Amino acid sequence: QVQLVESGGGIVQAGDSRKLSCKVSKLTFKYYNLGWFRQAPGKERDLIAALAWSGSDTFYADSVKGRFTVSRDNAENVSFLQMTALIPEDTAVYYCAAADGRSRAVLNVAEYNYWGQGTQVTVSS
């Protein structure tokens, strides 16, 4: 089945930057929309960024807007989440996920069919 693997997590200082990667493999289709989620202990898993196949339709949660940037390289089936100005509230497990389609940023978590295992980001104060 389709696999997604996140990497790049770790322990960082508040105010620092960190870039996460999501490698998609074992694809059986050409197009997919992509989402980045995060889940802090005791909290719900929240969508923080979404990106259509074309890259022209994006979504950012208010909590990360202006600080995080999502991108994708479809030729390599890799997505990046560039995080800047990190704050302790950003501490969470970060997941990438794929949804069928190519035309829009998908906001409904139920539409995401494939998930990575997550990578931990810890922001110290």
Side-chain angles (χ1 to χ4, degrees):
Q1 62 179 17
V2 176
Q3 294 183 345
L4 295 85
V5 179
E6 304 93 341
S7 62
I11 302 173
V12 299
Q13 296 291 320
D16 284 356
S17 299
R18 195 78 168 187
K19 188 176 183 179
L20 305 182
S21 299
C22 173
K23 174 65 177 178
V24 184
S25 62
K26 296 186 178 181
L27 289 167
T28 58
F29 44 83
K30 179 178 181 179
Y31 304 111
Y32 58 94
N33 298 314
L34 189 71
W36 282 91
F37 297 77
R38 69 183 182 185
Q39 186 170 26
K43 305 295 184 180
E44 295 182 345
R45 184 175 298 184
D46 295 325
L47 176 70
I48 57 172
L51 182 64
W53 170 263
S54 68
S56 61
D57 188 24
T58 60
F59 164 83
Y60 294 97
D62 289 342
S63 59
V64 306
K65 190 176 298 182
R67 298 189 298 117
F68 290 11
T69 302
V70 64
S71 62
R72 61 193 298 171
D73 182 344
N74 291 336
E76 299 295 330
N77 286 306
V78 174
S79 175
F80 301 100
L81 184 68
Q82 178 65 56
M83 307 183 294
T84 63
L86 285 163
I87 57 177
E89 290 77 13
D90 294 321
T91 296
V93 177
Y94 285 73
Y95 302 87
C96 62
D100 293 338
R102 62 177 177 175
S103 62
R104 64 184 178 92
V106 176
L107 307 185
N108 182 7
V109 65
E111 296 186 41
Y112 288 93
N113 304 117
Y114 306 101
W115 294 81
Q117 293 299 306
T119 185
Q120 176 73 44
V121 175
T122 301
V123 184
S124 62
S125 60

